[in-house]
Amino acid sequence: MKKRVLATALAAAMAGSMLAGFTTQAEDLGDPVTLTVTLTAVSTDTHAQAMQEFKKTVEELSGGNITVEVYTDAQLFSQEEEVAAVVMGDADMTLTSASWLTTGSPWVSMFTAGYLFNSYDHMTATLNGEVGQEVFQKISDEQGLLPLGAWYLGSREISLSEDRAIKTPEDLNGVNLRMPNSEAWLFLGEALGANPTPMSFSELYLALQTGAVDGQDNPLGSVESAKFYEVQKSITLTHHLVDSVWPAINTEKWNSLTDAQKDIILQGVEAGRDFCDSTNLQKEEELISFFEEQGLSIYEADIPAFQEHVLNYYLNDEISADWDMEMYDKVAAIGADLGGAVEAESETEAMTE
């Protein structure tokens, strides 16, 4: 029953059904609660600003019954610590992603694979729909942390501290590419053809400036907000990961809330998603010109060459043995329905060869 209630609530929120003029009085919501949110993102990142939209919406709709305290810039926990902090109850919420959840749920590595999603529409239709509900509930059951949706972070691209085009994976041979310090992220770096170097986001600017790493991969919006363009000279558009961040809450905390409080939180998640997605989509259209004005060279990768190399790298490794192929078929089918995707059946056959 709890799962059915959660699925219904998530479906309502993910479909964008925000309730206009929420009228429930604060005293009908239950005891006042405070949500502590830990973020590694810098305060100027779009997803950090989206969390402020979440805070504003939740506090306004609850009439002060729910207080949201947002800590950005790794003030509370590092990138490597924040998921465990939420699971342990040392914080209530964070923005995480599939790559940070594979240790407790190895099958989630499927969602870390390069080129799994072929567009923003493919990603959001999957993760903010029925498949996402199934994925998130399973993570909650296994790890004690419940994602409530997926916010578009942007398509990840590769940028270097030297002016050099990256056309094929072979061009990344020997490149020390910073990746977040998790097994899934490091595997993606290898799949791209680089030498992945684990490093926290908060350390990255200085590392790029001093040459401790040769480059990094992030969405264009993050390159701009973290000012990496000040210490880099080129960006190659690889589109290797249609990336998202997942607002996630401690499962016990979630279960302690009243249905009315949960409804308000889900409306806050939807408000944050609307801000995050629309802002990042607009930024992606505008930032290429901005980076060129800052003196960076912009190159386009051979996407088919990267797709083939990355997929084969995953298929030839035991990491894909944990994948839920029934779920994979669902993801592929959504992409096929949207156009431009490989048929689900042929994809599954390739995965099992």
Side-chain angles (χ1 to χ4, degrees), residues 265-286:
I265 288 171
L266 290 173
Q267 291 182 67
V269 168
E270 186 66 15
R273 182 168 79 90
D274 181 67
F275 176 88
C276 192
D277 290 18
S278 60
T279 301
N280 280 331
L281 287 168
Q282 181 177 349
K283 277 188 174 183
E284 287 183 328
E285 292 183 0
E286 301 171 348

mmCIF file of all heavy atoms in Angstrom, residues 265-286:
data_model
loop_
_atom_site.group_PDB
_atom_site.id
_atom_site.type_symbol
_atom_site.label_atom_id
_atom_site.label_comp_id
_atom_site.label_asym_id
_atom_site.label_seq_id
_atom_site.Cartn_x
_atom_site.Cartn_y
_atom_site.Cartn_z
ATOM 1 N N ILE A 265 6.147 18.445 -0.607
ATOM 2 C CA ILE A 265 7.548 18.201 -0.984
ATOM 3 C C ILE A 265 7.637 17.823 -2.458
ATOM 4 O O ILE A 265 8.521 18.294 -3.188
ATOM 5 C CB ILE A 265 8.164 17.128 -0.078
ATOM 6 C CG1 ILE A 265 8.380 17.699 1.328
ATOM 7 C CG2 ILE A 265 9.479 16.608 -0.656
ATOM 8 C CD1 ILE A 265 8.780 16.672 2.364
ATOM 9 N N LEU A 266 6.718 16.980 -2.920
ATOM 10 C CA LEU A 266 6.725 16.595 -4.324
ATOM 11 C C LEU A 266 6.416 17.779 -5.234
ATOM 12 O O LEU A 266 6.960 17.889 -6.335
ATOM 13 C CB LEU A 266 5.726 15.460 -4.562
ATOM 14 C CG LEU A 266 6.114 14.115 -3.951
ATOM 15 C CD1 LEU A 266 4.981 13.113 -4.102
ATOM 16 C CD2 LEU A 266 7.387 13.576 -4.580
ATOM 17 N N GLN A 267 5.566 18.680 -4.774
ATOM 18 C CA GLN A 267 5.330 19.902 -5.536
ATOM 19 C C GLN A 267 6.600 20.759 -5.577
ATOM 20 O O GLN A 267 6.910 21.397 -6.589
ATOM 21 C CB GLN A 267 4.173 20.684 -4.918
ATOM 22 C CG GLN A 267 2.816 20.005 -5.078
ATOM 23 C CD GLN A 267 1.695 20.841 -4.503
ATOM 24 O OE1 GLN A 267 1.396 21.913 -5.016
ATOM 25 N NE2 GLN A 267 1.079 20.371 -3.440
ATOM 26 N N GLY A 268 7.333 20.773 -4.468
ATOM 27 C CA GLY A 268 8.606 21.493 -4.452
ATOM 28 C C GLY A 268 9.611 20.880 -5.406
ATOM 29 O O GLY A 268 10.355 21.598 -6.087
ATOM 30 N N VAL A 269 9.642 19.548 -5.472
ATOM 31 C CA VAL A 269 10.534 18.862 -6.410
ATOM 32 C C VAL A 269 10.182 19.241 -7.845
ATOM 33 O O VAL A 269 11.063 19.505 -8.670
ATOM 34 C CB VAL A 269 10.443 17.331 -6.216
ATOM 35 C CG1 VAL A 269 11.127 16.592 -7.367
ATOM 36 C CG2 VAL A 269 11.068 16.931 -4.888
ATOM 37 N N GLU A 270 8.897 19.305 -8.139
ATOM 38 C CA GLU A 270 8.466 19.664 -9.482
ATOM 39 C C GLU A 270 8.824 21.115 -9.805
ATOM 40 O O GLU A 270 9.243 21.424 -10.932
ATOM 41 C CB GLU A 270 6.964 19.447 -9.634
ATOM 42 C CG GLU A 270 6.442 19.654 -11.034
ATOM 43 C CD GLU A 270 6.969 18.635 -12.031
ATOM 44 O OE1 GLU A 270 7.525 17.598 -11.607
ATOM 45 O OE2 GLU A 270 6.836 18.896 -13.243
ATOM 46 N N ALA A 271 8.709 22.014 -8.838
ATOM 47 C CA ALA A 271 9.095 23.408 -9.059
ATOM 48 C C ALA A 271 10.586 23.508 -9.323
ATOM 49 O O ALA A 271 11.030 24.261 -10.205
ATOM 50 C CB ALA A 271 8.706 24.250 -7.843
ATOM 51 N N GLY A 272 11.378 22.755 -8.569
ATOM 52 C CA GLY A 272 12.815 22.749 -8.795
ATOM 53 C C GLY A 272 13.160 22.182 -10.152
ATOM 54 O O GLY A 272 14.052 22.689 -10.850
ATOM 55 N N ARG A 273 12.455 21.127 -10.557
ATOM 56 C CA ARG A 273 12.720 20.521 -11.867
ATOM 57 C C ARG A 273 12.405 21.481 -12.999
ATOM 58 O O ARG A 273 13.169 21.601 -13.967
ATOM 59 C CB ARG A 273 11.906 19.233 -12.023
ATOM 60 C CG ARG A 273 12.168 18.514 -13.352
ATOM 61 C CD ARG A 273 11.572 17.123 -13.353
ATOM 62 N NE ARG A 273 10.142 17.117 -13.591
ATOM 63 C CZ ARG A 273 9.587 17.036 -14.798
ATOM 64 N NH1 ARG A 273 10.349 17.002 -15.878
ATOM 65 N NH2 ARG A 273 8.283 16.994 -14.934
ATOM 66 N N ASP A 274 11.286 22.166 -12.891
ATOM 67 C CA ASP A 274 10.906 23.118 -13.931
ATOM 68 C C ASP A 274 11.972 24.198 -14.082
ATOM 69 O O ASP A 274 12.374 24.540 -15.201
ATOM 70 C CB ASP A 274 9.550 23.740 -13.597
ATOM 71 C CG ASP A 274 9.098 24.729 -14.656
ATOM 72 O OD1 ASP A 274 8.812 24.303 -15.788
ATOM 73 O OD2 ASP A 274 9.050 25.939 -14.359
ATOM 74 N N PHE A 275 12.462 24.713 -12.957
ATOM 75 C CA PHE A 275 13.505 25.747 -13.007
ATOM 76 C C PHE A 275 14.798 25.184 -13.571
ATOM 77 O O PHE A 275 15.422 25.779 -14.462
ATOM 78 C CB PHE A 275 13.748 26.311 -11.607
ATOM 79 C CG PHE A 275 14.873 27.307 -11.546
ATOM 80 C CD1 PHE A 275 14.645 28.656 -11.776
ATOM 81 C CD2 PHE A 275 16.170 26.893 -11.270
ATOM 82 C CE1 PHE A 275 15.688 29.580 -11.736
ATOM 83 C CE2 PHE A 275 17.221 27.798 -11.219
ATOM 84 C CZ PHE A 275 16.974 29.141 -11.455
ATOM 85 N N CYS A 276 15.220 24.039 -13.057
ATOM 86 C CA CYS A 276 16.500 23.455 -13.440
ATOM 87 C C CYS A 276 16.520 23.085 -14.923
ATOM 88 O O CYS A 276 17.460 23.440 -15.648
ATOM 89 C CB CYS A 276 16.783 22.217 -12.583
ATOM 90 S SG CYS A 276 18.476 21.595 -12.703
ATOM 91 N N ASP A 277 15.488 22.397 -15.377
ATOM 92 C CA ASP A 277 15.471 21.920 -16.758
ATOM 93 C C ASP A 277 15.411 23.082 -17.743
ATOM 94 O O ASP A 277 16.177 23.132 -18.710
ATOM 95 C CB ASP A 277 14.275 20.998 -16.979
ATOM 96 C CG ASP A 277 14.417 19.672 -16.249
ATOM 97 O OD1 ASP A 277 15.247 19.587 -15.320
ATOM 98 O OD2 ASP A 277 13.689 18.722 -16.598
ATOM 99 N N SER A 278 14.495 24.005 -17.515
ATOM 100 C CA SER A 278 14.339 25.114 -18.455
ATOM 101 C C SER A 278 15.583 25.986 -18.489
ATOM 102 O O SER A 278 16.018 26.436 -19.561
ATOM 103 C CB SER A 278 13.110 25.954 -18.099
ATOM 104 O OG SER A 278 13.225 26.507 -16.796
ATOM 105 N N THR A 279 16.196 26.208 -17.326
ATOM 106 C CA THR A 279 17.401 27.043 -17.276
ATOM 107 C C THR A 279 18.559 26.379 -17.993
ATOM 108 O O THR A 279 19.272 27.019 -18.784
ATOM 109 C CB THR A 279 17.792 27.332 -15.821
ATOM 110 O OG1 THR A 279 16.716 28.007 -15.159
ATOM 111 C CG2 THR A 279 19.035 28.212 -15.753
ATOM 112 N N ASN A 280 18.771 25.095 -17.750
ATOM 113 C CA ASN A 280 19.904 24.407 -18.371
ATOM 114 C C ASN A 280 19.722 24.227 -19.868
ATOM 115 O O ASN A 280 20.695 24.309 -20.627
ATOM 116 C CB ASN A 280 20.142 23.057 -17.687
ATOM 117 C CG ASN A 280 20.914 23.207 -16.392
ATOM 118 O OD1 ASN A 280 21.710 24.117 -16.227
ATOM 119 N ND2 ASN A 280 20.686 22.310 -15.450
ATOM 120 N N LEU A 281 18.501 23.981 -20.311
ATOM 121 C CA LEU A 281 18.258 23.875 -21.746
ATOM 122 C C LEU A 281 18.549 25.202 -22.444
ATOM 123 O O LEU A 281 19.145 25.239 -23.535
ATOM 124 C CB LEU A 281 16.816 23.444 -21.999
ATOM 125 C CG LEU A 281 16.496 21.980 -21.685
ATOM 126 C CD1 LEU A 281 14.990 21.756 -21.686
ATOM 127 C CD2 LEU A 281 17.181 21.045 -22.675
ATOM 128 N N GLN A 282 18.151 26.296 -21.816
ATOM 129 C CA GLN A 282 18.429 27.607 -22.399
ATOM 130 C C GLN A 282 19.925 27.909 -22.379
ATOM 131 O O GLN A 282 20.479 28.422 -23.358
ATOM 132 C CB GLN A 282 17.671 28.694 -21.639
ATOM 133 C CG GLN A 282 17.885 30.095 -22.207
ATOM 134 C CD GLN A 282 17.061 31.149 -21.479
ATOM 135 O OE1 GLN A 282 16.187 30.820 -20.682
ATOM 136 N NE2 GLN A 282 17.338 32.409 -21.756
ATOM 137 N N LYS A 283 20.582 27.554 -21.280
ATOM 138 C CA LYS A 283 22.019 27.801 -21.185
ATOM 139 C C LYS A 283 22.785 27.067 -22.272
ATOM 140 O O LYS A 283 23.747 27.601 -22.851
ATOM 141 C CB LYS A 283 22.535 27.371 -19.809
ATOM 142 C CG LYS A 283 22.343 28.391 -18.702
ATOM 143 C CD LYS A 283 23.055 27.945 -17.439
ATOM 144 C CE LYS A 283 23.004 29.024 -16.364
ATOM 145 N NZ LYS A 283 23.755 28.624 -15.142
ATOM 146 N N GLU A 284 22.387 25.827 -22.529
ATOM 147 C CA GLU A 284 23.103 25.053 -23.540
ATOM 148 C C GLU A 284 23.023 25.713 -24.909
ATOM 149 O O GLU A 284 23.943 25.570 -25.724
ATOM 150 C CB GLU A 284 22.550 23.624 -23.599
ATOM 151 C CG GLU A 284 22.959 22.787 -22.401
ATOM 152 C CD GLU A 284 22.476 21.360 -22.477
ATOM 153 O OE1 GLU A 284 21.395 21.126 -23.056
ATOM 154 O OE2 GLU A 284 23.172 20.479 -21.947
ATOM 155 N N GLU A 285 21.954 26.423 -25.175
ATOM 156 C CA GLU A 285 21.820 27.119 -26.446
ATOM 157 C C GLU A 285 22.709 28.358 -26.507
ATOM 158 O O GLU A 285 23.147 28.755 -27.584
ATOM 159 C CB GLU A 285 20.359 27.530 -26.668
ATOM 160 C CG GLU A 285 19.407 26.367 -26.895
ATOM 161 C CD GLU A 285 18.002 26.829 -27.190
ATOM 162 O OE1 GLU A 285 17.779 28.062 -27.208
ATOM 163 O OE2 GLU A 285 17.129 25.971 -27.422
ATOM 164 N N GLU A 286 22.993 28.943 -25.355
ATOM 165 C CA GLU A 286 23.693 30.230 -25.321
ATOM 166 C C GLU A 286 25.183 30.149 -24.998
ATOM 167 O O GLU A 286 25.947 31.040 -25.368
ATOM 168 C CB GLU A 286 23.026 31.144 -24.283
ATOM 169 C CG GLU A 286 21.549 31.415 -24.555
ATOM 170 C CD GLU A 286 20.870 32.142 -23.403
ATOM 171 O OE1 GLU A 286 21.492 32.225 -22.323
ATOM 172 O OE2 GLU A 286 19.734 32.619 -23.607
#
